[in-house]
Amino acid sequence: MTKAEVLAKLQDVFDSTFVETVIVTEELSANDVEEWDSLSHITLIVSVEKSFGIRFGLGEVESTRNVGELADLIVKKVGAA
Amino acid sequence: MASTELIDNTILKSQILSKDPVFWQNLAERTRQTSDFSEVSVLSTFRRKALSKGFLPAQEARTKIKLAVIGGCTFHPLSDLILHFLFVNGYDCELWMGDYDNYIWEVMDHSSGLYSFNPDFVLLIPPVWRYRYSGKLTDPQSLVEEEISRNCKDILDLCNRINTGCGAEVILCNFILPCYHDPGSIRTRTLASEWNSLKSLNMQIGLQAPNYVSICDLEFLAARTGGLRARDDRGWFETKQPFSTDFAVHAANEIMHTIQAAKAPAKKVLVIDLDETLWGGIIGDDGLNGIEIGSSSPRGECFKEFQRIIKNLQERGILLAVCSKNELENALAPFEKHPEMHLRRDDFVSFQANWNPKADNMAQIAAELNLSMDSFVFVDDNPAEIEMVRQFAPAVSGICLGADPSFFIRLLKDSRFFEPRNITEEDLVRSQQYKNDEKRMGLLTSSTDINTYLESLQMVAYANDFHPIDVPRLAQLINKSNQFNLTTHRRTESEVTELIGSDQVALSFRLTDRFGDLGIISIVIAKVVEEILEIDTWLMSCRVLKRQMEHVVLNELMTRAAQLNCRKVKGVYIPTSKNQMVKDFYTNMGFAVTSSETDQTEYELITSKFEPFSTKISVIRGSNDKS
């Protein structure tokens, strides 16, 4: 799976998680989205795991700084799976 | 699978945009069909999207509740799941969440946000680490028992403080048992193992919890859905999640169910088809020796076991009725003559075997039992019959059993229609009471003069101020009575308890006759406002209609009014879809209309002008005071 494909699929996940419309870009981070707080974060990450069929390790997601890095992590995980 | 889901979501989205009211029905249906966390999250987002656009479901039949959540974990996303399930089941829930692991302080300190929020329900999720046994596997049993009792007491103490502090009902989560192999088979041989000690704690909590506590039985739920999948260690260490996300869906559903059970009446009657439901084959065609029932075949065993389960329900106070397309004589034969039948004719309070449409028979049963059809559950193997009843008697809930009798028991036991909240003694004898009603009906048809009949019943009414021992039954009546209920004001057990010893008039009436004790069958609650006694609640079980019981109640109430120096008594009738029966009740009782609006009519009765009714019921006052 390429990073572009991952980002496109992430757009679907964001659409079904947030009420407001959020455009997925590599630079996007929680600070840019009002609804993206520690609470909706949990829902978001579980949805990402479900839709890519992966599971993040302890602390892995926390170490990513934006959606681009999250996508890199997903590419790595999907490749390994 | 994926593509249909996508289409459904696309349709739901377009329904939000066009504000199509069917959206809310679809949303509820989709929610009911899933237990997948991501799926529910998506649906919850749809709900919030719709609400953020000011698009609301139809407001009738929605109930507002206030729920506080406290405990030793984080509450999101559990809280959002609870809100979502409550919402699609008709509850608008205002939510207050305590801080992480701050629940003990929140409960102890009466100036905490918990109490200023003034919740109807408090969900308490104690963290397992605080209550697991702290000693060694080899500790003597008495030492472990002591700690378990102390933990149980601590937890129930918190519940008590909550209830006395704000009157809320408490929903208490018990503990998921740890599904690791360690310490192996010794797990079951010492009370000190985490497995056994938590199991014992759960059991003690359940056995000792007072009626204002409902247990959210996570131990059971995890056993049902898979113990290993119930918790998620990463979720705990990262964000203090109490459950795995999928288990959170089950827990949220259970919590919604608990709230629903406290607010909405349970079902009272199981209406049962016969052929291919209670036995295999068609009695009219196959005859007594041809039907499948009992140990002669696997199918016969299924039907027999299904009958035993139904018999258990009956012993728990659920009324049974037959509704079958059959000749009466054929239908009766197995109950009277077949040795393998668990159920007998006497187990049924109504027996409709004829060729009328089943919806008509439902109405007939409802009339005989004086119960409304929304307390009925109908089971039938035939989907067409279920559908027919759904269309023509929509208040009745249906369970379609299908063709394979090995599924019947699970379908019935997982229907969740017959879950008693608190088992009151009267539940256990109610079935017997209705049987006695059948006898009373027989007596009525054979005696021509109603007064002679009433006299022959040798009725005695016991008028009492509300008493703590009666609280479960009082709350049950207040929350279940729909027809003979002037205002349909509901009250929780805590609210009922608050009336005891208050300056309000809160009277309960028990009725006995020569066939037995009918239990508490009428309630009246009123308060004095400037020399006027205002009736807030007046309700009566329909089983005692036409027995002059309402006259006894009014006589008592007017006596109280005089004692309290009230010049008059005021009553109000608030119409609902179910209480047409008492539309003219106050007029019939001699009250005068003082104002009339579509949503309520007000009445009054001047105390000095009241002439007590003469009745065939002798009245005994204050019998509870002696108990």
Side-chain angles (χ1 to χ4, degrees), chain B residues 605-622:
Chain B
L605 181 60
I606 308 293
T607 313
S608 58
K609 289 191 180 151
F610 176 71
E611 294 266 340
F613 288 97
S614 92
T615 70
K616 301 290 178 196
I617 306 176
S618 26
V619 179
I620 295 175
R621 295 179 189 82

Side-chain angles (χ1 to χ4, degrees), chain B residues 339-444:
Chain B
E340 295 273 11
M341 297 276 289
H342 271 300
L343 293 165
R344 296 291 165 191
R345 170 64 185 91
D346 265 2
D347 294 321
F348 297 89
V349 292
S350 180
F351 201 101
Q352 306 296 321
N354 52 47
W355 301 98
N356 301 335
K358 291 200 175 177
D360 293 2
N361 281 330
M362 297 287 161
Q364 175 65 31
I365 297 167
E368 278 181 21
L369 301 180
N370 244 326
L371 289 168
S372 71
M373 282 196 273
D374 61 4
S375 60
F376 286 21
V377 176
F378 172 51
V379 291
D380 200 309
D381 64 294
N382 183 348
E385 295 290 358
I386 294 283
E387 179 56 24
M388 190 90 135
V389 169
R390 197 182 67 80
Q391 283 188 28
F392 294 98
V396 176
S397 301
I399 302 174
C400 184
L401 297 173
D404 184 340
S406 67
F407 286 116
F408 288 10
I409 291 168
R410 169 143 189 206
L411 283 166
L412 182 61
K413 287 198 154 199
D414 274 347
S415 73
R416 309 210 70 168
F417 285 127
F418 298 109
E419 297 176 0
R421 176 142 185 265
N422 284 314
I423 298 176
T424 66
E425 270 178 45
E426 303 197 15
D427 284 324
L428 299 175
V429 294
R430 181 155 318 127
S431 196
Q432 188 55 40
Q433 291 169 343
Y434 276 91
K435 289 299 295 180
N436 287 343
D437 282 352
E438 261 197 335
K439 280 190 221 155
R440 286 183 192 102
M441 295 271 258
L443 201 64
L444 182 59

Side-chain angles (χ1 to χ4, degrees), chain B residues 241-422:
Chain B
Q241 291 294 313
F243 319 127
S244 72
T245 46
D246 282 341
F247 189 73
V249 175
H250 294 298
N253 234 322
E254 190 61 25
I255 289 156
M256 182 275 295
H257 193 83
T258 307
I259 291 173
Q260 207 172 29
K263 285 277 173 189
K267 302 289 181 181
K268 298 171 189 159
V269 186
L270 181 63
V271 185
I272 311 162
D273 171 51
L274 297 179
D275 293 327
E276 294 291 342
T277 296
L278 286 190
W279 53 72
I282 313 290
I283 183 69
D285 297 337
D286 303 325
L288 199 55
N289 299 326
I291 58 170
E292 291 174 287
I293 175 74
S295 39
S296 54
S297 72
R299 270 173 61 84
E301 286 203 42
C302 285
F303 287 110
K304 186 171 184 183
E305 183 64 7
F306 186 52
Q307 288 197 11
R308 190 181 66 80
I309 301 300
I310 292 173
K311 177 79 185 164
N312 285 349
L313 279 179
Q314 189 244 9
E315 282 159 0
R316 232 158 70 180
I318 302 302
L319 304 172
L320 304 183
V322 162
C323 179
S324 164
K325 289 195 164 147
N326 253 311
E327 294 297 335
L328 180 61
E329 194 186 332
N330 290 339
L332 283 170
F335 294 99
E336 286 165 351
K337 295 180 194 141
H338 203 297
E340 295 273 11
M341 297 276 289
H342 271 300
L343 293 165
R344 296 291 165 191
R345 170 64 185 91
D346 265 2
D347 294 321
F348 297 89
V349 292
S350 180
F351 201 101
Q352 306 296 321
N354 52 47
W355 301 98
N356 301 335
K358 291 200 175 177
D360 293 2
N361 281 330
M362 297 287 161
Q364 175 65 31
I365 297 167
E368 278 181 21
L369 301 180
N370 244 326
L371 289 168
S372 71
M373 282 196 273
D374 61 4
S375 60
F376 286 21
V377 176
F378 172 51
V379 291
D380 200 309
D381 64 294
N382 183 348
E385 295 290 358
I386 294 283
E387 179 56 24
M388 190 90 135
V389 169
R390 197 182 67 80
Q391 283 188 28
F392 294 98
V396 176
S397 301
I399 302 174
C400 184
L401 297 173
D404 184 340
S406 67
F407 286 116
F408 288 10
I409 291 168
R410 169 143 189 206
L411 283 166
L412 182 61
K413 287 198 154 199
D414 274 347
S415 73
R416 309 210 70 168
F417 285 127
F418 298 109
E419 297 176 0
R421 176 142 185 265
N422 284 314

Side-chain angles (χ1 to χ4, degrees), chain A residues 14-20 35 37-40 42-43 45-47 49-50 55-62, chain B residues 13 36-38 41-46 48-49 52 74 76-77 97 232-235 237-239 241 245-246:
Chain A
F14 276 63
D15 285 347
S16 52
T17 306
F18 297 114
V19 172
E20 60 190 286
E35 273 181 72
D37 53 19
S38 59
L39 307 180
S40 58
I42 296 163
T43 310
I45 295 307
V46 172
S47 303
E49 288 184 330
K50 280 251 162 84
R55 186 171 159 91
F56 299 113
L58 184 75
E60 271 187 329
V61 174
E62 214 182 326
Chain B
K13 276 184 186 166
D36 176 81
F37 173 76
S38 296
S41 294
V42 170
L43 296 171
S44 169
T45 306
F46 283 154
R48 287 179 289 125
K49 276 192 175 150
S52 75
T74 50
H76 191 91
M97 284 188 280
D232 172 1
D233 289 338
R234 186 196 67 185
F237 290 114
E238 275 189 351
T239 54
Q241 291 294 313
T245 46
D246 282 341

Side-chain angles (χ1 to χ4, degrees), chain B residues 557-582:
Chain B
L557 191 65
M558 296 312 287
T559 310
R560 291 297 177 100
Q563 287 165 356
L564 294 164
N565 297 319
C566 290
R567 288 180 292 115
K568 51 188 175 187
V569 175
K570 274 175 76 169
V572 54
Y573 166 67
I574 302 174
T576 69
S577 59
K578 293 182 184 160
N579 71 354
Q580 287 300 302
M581 165 192 283
V582 288

